[in-house]
Amino acid sequence: MDKNTSEVFPQYGAGTGAADSSIVNTQKGPSFFKYSGGVNFMRAMEVVSVEQKGGNIVAFSCKTEGLTNKFMQTHETQMLQRHINEDLTGVLDFEVAFWSASIFRVRFSPDTIPSTEPDFPPIAGRMLAAEPDSNVQINVEDGDEALTISTSEVRLVIEKKPFAMRAYDNDGKLFWQQWHERLLTSDMFEASFVESGDRKACFESFVIEGQEEIYGLGERFDYVARKGKPVDFWNKDAVGTSNRRSYINVPFLWSTAGYGLFVNSSSRTEWEVATSEAYSLGFAVEDSCMDYFVIHGPSPKEIIYKYCQLTGFSPVPPIWSFGLWMSRNSYVSWDVVDEVAKELRDRDIPADVLHLDTAWFEEDWNCDLRFSKSRFAEPEKHMRKLKEDGFRVSLWQYNFVPPKENNINYKEGVEKGYFAKNSDGTPFCYPPGTTGAWVDDLIIDFSNPQACRWYADQISDLIRLGAATIKTDFGEGIPEDACFQNISGKKFHNLYTLVYNAVVAEAIERVSGESVVWARSGTAGSQRYPIHWGGDSQCSWAGLAGTLRGALSMGLSGFVFFSHDIGGFIGRPTPELYIRWAQFGMFCSHARCHGAGNNNSREPWSFGDEAEEIFRKYAKLRYRLLPYILEQAARGSRTGEPLVRALVLEYPQDRNVRQIEDEYLFGESMLIAPVLEPLEHGNKRSIYLPAGTWIDYWSKETIVSTGQWIERDIDLETMPIYVKAGSIIAYGPERNYTNNEIDKIAALEVYSGRDVKLEYDYDSIRFSVKLENNRLSVSGLGREVDIKVFGSTQEVDITYA
């Protein structure tokens, strides 16, 4: 099973070996304008009129300067240069709207700026899901040289000639400014509009200071810190987790300078994060209107919270979803499912979910949303029995329909026009000669309300039948040349996944009342429909390390919940790699084992006795930690703070953590240092401990750090974990499934610090704990709870109330 074949992994071996003209064609996106000679830009240069519209909106017009891109050469160096074109003049209309005292929206266009949001998508499928604060107060001063707009938190200064915007906090500190450069090279473009034929784009640039760092932009497998790193910002089938491709591109980033940026556009977007010009952040959209929000934090947590106020917060998925999910691609019958379920219980390995991937239909991959009558007969009966044994069932599907006469959804969808189309109205198909996996599949048009209802009704029927949730696979492979009922393919490509997941998630919630899908692709706002996972990772140490980077970058992009395939998906992990992946996976918001191939098991016993024993240890620890995990999940649902948390989010002033991407905080209290290399590379792990007191979770050794690296011995059984002093960790009892409840608090671990206090309130459990002057007071819990105190040099008295 260490070889990839098209049977195991359909993307494998599907090409011709030659460049395919249907894929490799004209320059896509705004780069077309930037790197083409003879293209004319309109650069905003002078504010010529100002108008206050409504209580929080100021509009102004800018006279533009014409610039023409020309290829020039100095000796052997060829470059594009911007040359002033006096024959090209025009006006760009700007609108600045304060959505709160610390968030302002900037839009500009040569056309009329829309006064309302578009009819499509509906609110459930929009990136921007909020309304402006009607109570925000702005003060406008229109002077000869500058226009100033102030709130209680921000002062925005707009220089009139030459046009320039910059923002200050209420202490007068500059935190954001547009980038302006009078060099003649075309490396970056200031606020500009450009068109060529029927294509249009808008450009904008901000200043990046020398010590500033940038984070976010969604799921990034290459690097977490984005300064100086190129970005592929077109949702793709990533095929691996150590490359630049991504399933989840989020047009949101934040800076250590104290601001965030959300680009509210589903059009093709490109980013230059100090890649073309070292001190600038450039972005562009292939659209006639630029629309972005500047968010003043100043802390990273505040920025992410305010971003989620715009795009939505993540609801907490049901308790059972935080248990272990067991899967492979695929379990091929109820007999196999029942065998796995029995082995899990007999071997004392806790689990809550069994997932049926691509083979629960009569024909593998022929997704018709009907259970196979031969291999998965009587689904309602089987799922009811599994639930009685503590297992929920998750079902795979995707947003495509194979063009097969034995697929009822294919025939009905074609007849009723539910699929994306070619320009002649026939179902969309790629040009003749296009080779690859699934290129013949029809694409469900989720911009068509009738298609949405048709599909949602079928999903709801599956939930009524007994399924607990749906795996919303794919969603990223949407051709921009396809025609959709209510939106162009170019604007739907990255947005499609949000609408798709919204349709499925709402269909599930309508029946079960639970907010949960298992989603692969996404964009801004997708955090409203958890849970997302990291896609098709390769079974290698690079795949494991890249998966962690993906989880960290997702957490810095507004996603509280994120998971991945324990063991990796493509290939077969060694027992050592499987163990290390499982240790990391148990300390993520959600934990699922999954791999490619019907016989490519990811059950721990298939990797040997040692792997099974270590897996069981960490799985049981995860279940005991569910009270802590759920408490942190509830907090993240309110704040946008992720469970897998890059150190920079918690320690933004510590420059040592800005590039750390191999350790993280699991919630507020636990520092996790996954082992990302085989032991043959050495039995020591370098770990950075931010300033403060830390307690080794395993040995209970106390370390007082000034912000320093330590070396720790490791073995196969141990993943280093440190607990922040001042933390209280709540444990539940040992059990093999959740029954969708916390159960009870069985133990508390108190890690002494300056302020030790916990007010616990989740589900039906409420209690408080406080440690002060070596006296521990516990309210709301009985004396049968096992309480241990670590990190204290004196005996602690415990009192109960």
Side-chain angles (χ1 to χ4, degrees):
M1 194 52 67
D2 58 344
K3 292 184 178 180
N4 292 319
T5 66
S6 58
E7 181 180 351
V8 172
F9 192 62
Q11 292 97 316
Y12 179 78
T16 63
D20 192 330
S21 61
S22 68
I23 298 172
V24 182
N25 45 37
T26 58
Q27 176 80 55
K28 302 287 189 179
S31 290
F32 165 80
F33 305 96
K34 184 175 178 181
Y35 297 115
S36 297
V39 174
N40 297 316
F41 286 76
M42 295 167 56
R43 174 171 64 181
M45 284 298 292
E46 180 182 357
V47 176
V48 292
S49 65
V50 177
E51 176 189 2
Q52 186 166 355
K53 299 167 61 177
N56 65 339
I57 301 174
V58 176
F60 56 92
S61 295
C62 272
K63 188 164 64 176
T64 63
E65 176 181 64
L67 298 170
T68 299
N69 247 10
K70 294 184 179 181
F71 281 103
M72 305 295 290
Q73 191 159 323
T74 63
H75 299 293
E76 56 78 39
T77 302
Q78 189 181 69
M79 69 183 73
L80 276 164
Q81 294 181 356
R82 303 180 294 180
H83 288 249
I84 294 175
N85 186 339
E86 295 181 351
D87 295 329
L88 181 65
T89 59
V91 173
L92 286 179
D93 288 328
F94 282 73
E95 186 177 277
V96 174
F98 271 84
W99 278 50
S100 73
S102 58
I103 301 173
F104 59 90
R105 181 185 195 179
V106 177
R107 292 190 287 175
F108 66 82
S109 175
D111 305 321
T112 302
I113 295 174
S115 58
T116 60
E117 300 302 322
D119 293 333
F120 181 83
I123 188 67
R126 291 179 193 167
M127 295 191 296
L128 179 62
E131 296 290 338
D133 181 357
S134 59
N135 296 317
V136 65
Q137 299 292 318
I138 66 171
N139 180 58
V140 180
E141 299 178 23
D142 185 10
D144 292 337
E145 296 183 353
L147 170 66
T148 303
I149 312 170
S150 302
T151 70
S152 58
E153 297 184 36
V154 168
R155 178 167 56 93
L156 176 63
V157 177
I158 303 168
E159 298 288 347
K160 291 187 172 181
K161 185 178 181 181
F163 167 69
M165 293 193 290
R166 57 184 186 273
Y168 302 81
D169 64 19
N170 54 13
D171 291 326
K173 179 184 176 183
L174 176 69
F175 66 85
W176 168 84
Q177 60 181 316
Q178 286 180 313
W179 179 87
H180 293 279
E181 180 60 76
R182 298 310 173 206
L183 277 174
L184 46 81
T185 57
S186 295
D187 298 311
M188 297 293 292
F189 285 93
E190 301 95 323
S192 305
F193 170 78
V194 59
E195 63 180 321
S196 178
D198 62 350
R199 298 178 66 178
K200 303 175 182 180
C202 293
F203 287 74
E204 177 65 291
S205 302
F206 299 169
V207 171
I208 294 180
E209 301 293 352
Q211 298 301 319
E212 192 175 341
E213 188 53 88
I214 304 292
Y215 300 92
L217 295 178
E219 176 190 64
R220 310 258 60 103
F221 297 125
D222 54 352
Y223 299 95
V224 177
R226 298 312 312 169
K227 187 176 176 181
K229 315 299 193 305
V231 178
D232 182 341
F233 208 74
W234 196 241
N235 281 7
K236 291 178 179 175
D237 186 351
V239 189
T241 53
S242 54
N243 59 65
R244 261 193 242 155
R245 295 182 295 273
S246 176
Y247 305 97
I248 305 172
N249 286 285
V250 178
F252 163 69
L253 56 78
W254 58 269
S255 165
T256 53
Y259 72 88
L261 167 68
F262 165 47
V263 178
N264 180 38
S265 176
S266 65
S267 298
R268 189 185 279 267
T269 304
E270 293 179 353
W271 302 85
E272 298 273 8
V273 187
T275 47
S276 289
E277 206 285 331
Y279 282 76
S280 64
L281 162 63
F283 54 99
V285 296
E286 189 165 351
D287 201 350
S288 60
C289 183
M290 175 64 81
D291 183 358
Y292 65 86
F293 289 78
V294 175
I295 305 165
H296 178 240
S299 73
K301 286 184 180 181
E302 290 173 296
I303 295 169
I304 289 175
Y305 173 75
K306 293 172 183 178
Y307 163 73
C308 289
Q309 286 183 312
L310 295 173
T311 61
F313 292 87
S314 298
V316 180
I319 293 172
W320 59 259
S321 74
F322 291 87
L324 179 66
W325 301 45
M326 192 60 67
S327 172
R328 75 177 83 140
N329 182 7
S330 296
Y331 299 139
V332 296
S333 68
W334 285 128
D335 290 341
V336 178
V337 173
D338 292 342
E339 179 186 354
V340 172
K342 184 177 185 303
E343 288 286 342
L344 286 165
R345 295 292 182 249
D346 289 349
R347 293 173 182 270
D348 193 27
I349 295 171
D352 269 69
V353 184
L354 293 170
H355 172 70
L356 307 186
D357 218 66
T358 64
W360 61 279
F361 323 108
E362 196 61 54
E363 179 185 348
D364 197 359
W365 282 95
N366 189 5
C367 179
D368 60 3
L369 302 182
R370 272 77 173 170
F371 281 89
S372 166
K373 292 181 179 179
S374 60
R375 294 176 291 106
F376 288 94
E378 301 182 287
E380 188 172 14
K381 171 186 169 182
H382 278 274
M383 289 190 285
R384 185 189 312 117
K385 177 61 168 62
L386 285 166
K387 189 173 181 180
E388 290 170 359
D389 294 336
F391 294 104
R392 262 72 174 178
V393 172
S394 167
L395 298 176
W396 178 93
Q397 58 74 71
Y398 65 167
N399 54 295
F400 302 101
V401 176
K404 298 187 176 185
E405 290 299 322
N406 64 348
N407 188 314
I408 190 171
N409 283 340
Y410 164 66
K411 292 192 290 185
E412 185 176 355
V414 170
E415 178 185 338
K416 296 184 177 179
Y418 291 159
F419 300 125
K421 297 177 175 60
N422 293 307
S423 57
D424 62 3
T426 58
F428 176 82
C429 59
Y430 287 94
T434 303
T435 57
W438 308 297
V439 295
D440 295 327
D441 286 356
L442 304 188
I443 306 160
I444 299 170
D445 182 359
F446 282 115
S447 80
N448 180 341
Q450 291 180 319
C452 291
R453 284 192 294 272
W454 168 70
Y455 203 74
D457 287 346
Q458 295 183 73
I459 296 297
S460 292
D461 287 344
L462 292 169
I463 304 303
R464 291 188 188 97
L465 202 60
T469 191
I470 300 294
K471 176 178 173 180
T472 48
D473 208 357
F474 293 81
E476 66 283 336
I478 305 304
E480 63 181 338
D481 296 330
C483 299
F484 297 89
Q485 185 176 103
N486 284 303
I487 191 172
S488 70
K490 286 184 177 181
K491 289 191 175 182
F492 209 18
H493 177 90
N494 277 8
L495 182 65
Y496 181 99
T497 178
L498 175 57
V499 181
Y500 160 42
N501 277 281
V503 168
V504 176
E506 289 183 337
I508 294 169
E509 189 170 12
R510 186 161 51 245
V511 177
S512 68
E514 296 179 332
S515 298
V516 58
V517 293
W518 190 267
R520 183 164 91 168
S521 54
T523 187
S526 291
Q527 70 272 8
R528 303 195 299 268
Y529 307 107
I531 308 151
H532 290 76
W533 101 98
D536 295 345
S537 50
Q538 70 270 40
C539 299
S540 68
W541 295 97
L544 171 58
T547 295
L548 173 54
R549 291 192 292 270
L552 293 174
S553 60
M554 285 290 284
L556 297 175
S557 303
F559 285 72
V560 177
F561 306 107
F562 190 72
S563 189
H564 46 89
D565 292 344
I566 289 175
F569 181 75
I570 306 167
R572 178 79 178 170
T574 64
E576 182 182 8
L577 177 60
Y578 179 81
I579 289 167
R580 294 307 192 192
W581 212 310
Q583 290 169 341
F584 161 48
M586 295 301 174
F587 283 84
C588 291
S589 82
H590 290 77
R592 181 181 81 151
C593 300
H594 187 61
N598 296 348
N599 299 309
N600 190 7
S601 62
R602 287 296 183 271
E603 296 82 50
W605 53 86
S606 67
F607 294 92
D609 293 343
E610 185 177 32
E612 180 182 348
E613 181 180 351
I614 295 172
F615 186 100
R616 182 186 300 108
K617 170 185 174 179
Y618 280 85
K620 283 184 170 291
L621 176 57
R622 176 181 178 83
Y623 272 69
R624 291 201 65 214
L625 282 168
L626 283 175
Y628 169 76
I629 294 171
L630 287 161
E631 172 207 5
Q632 295 298 305
R635 176 181 174 83
S637 182
R638 297 188 303 269
T639 65
E641 296 169 20
L643 267 74
V644 173
R645 189 175 307 180
L647 297 184
V648 70
L649 192 61
E650 202 73 30
Y651 302 96
Q653 303 307 317
D654 184 350
R655 290 186 180 176
N656 294 314
V657 306
R658 292 188 176 183
Q659 307 297 323
I660 292 178
E661 52 188 24
D662 63 351
E663 58 184 84
Y664 62 95
L665 287 170
F666 184 53
E668 295 178 284
S669 300
M670 307 182 82
L671 189 149
I672 311 297
V675 179
L676 305 177
E677 294 181 338
L679 281 171
E680 66 181 6
H681 288 186
N683 64 347
K684 292 187 180 296
R685 172 68 155 92
S686 294
I687 301 168
Y688 183 79
L689 296 178
T693 300
W694 298 89
I695 298 166
D696 188 307
Y697 181 78
W698 305 110
S699 70
K700 307 308 180 187
E701 173 193 6
T702 297
I703 300 175
V704 179
S705 174
T706 57
Q708 65 199 55
W709 291 90
I710 64 168
E711 289 270 314
R712 190 195 191 283
D713 292 335
I714 54 171
D715 54 35
L716 187 58
E717 185 178 353
T718 304
M719 177 178 69
I721 302 172
Y722 291 84
V723 181
K724 187 189 305 183
S727 300
I728 299 175
I729 307 294
Y731 292 82
E734 186 172 298
R735 53 193 175 142
N736 280 339
Y737 59 94
T738 67
N739 201 30
N740 204 33
E741 60 185 9
I742 293 180
D743 194 3
K744 63 180 180 180
I745 303 300
L748 293 174
E749 287 186 347
V750 181
Y751 292 83
S752 295
R754 185 173 300 172
D755 298 306
V756 184
K757 185 177 181 180
L758 173 63
E759 297 285 345
Y760 193 97
D761 185 354
Y762 189 82
D763 201 26
S764 60
I765 298 178
R766 295 171 181 80
F767 65 90
S768 62
V769 182
K770 185 177 182 180
L771 177 63
E772 193 172 47
N773 298 324
N774 291 310
R775 295 183 64 86
L776 184 69
S777 57
V778 182
S779 175
L781 291 176
R783 291 178 179 270
E784 69 272 12
V785 174
D786 180 28
I787 299 177
K788 291 184 173 64
V789 180
F790 302 107
S792 176
T793 59
Q794 302 179 39
E795 186 173 340
V796 174
D797 294 327
I798 302 176
T799 60
Y800 294 86

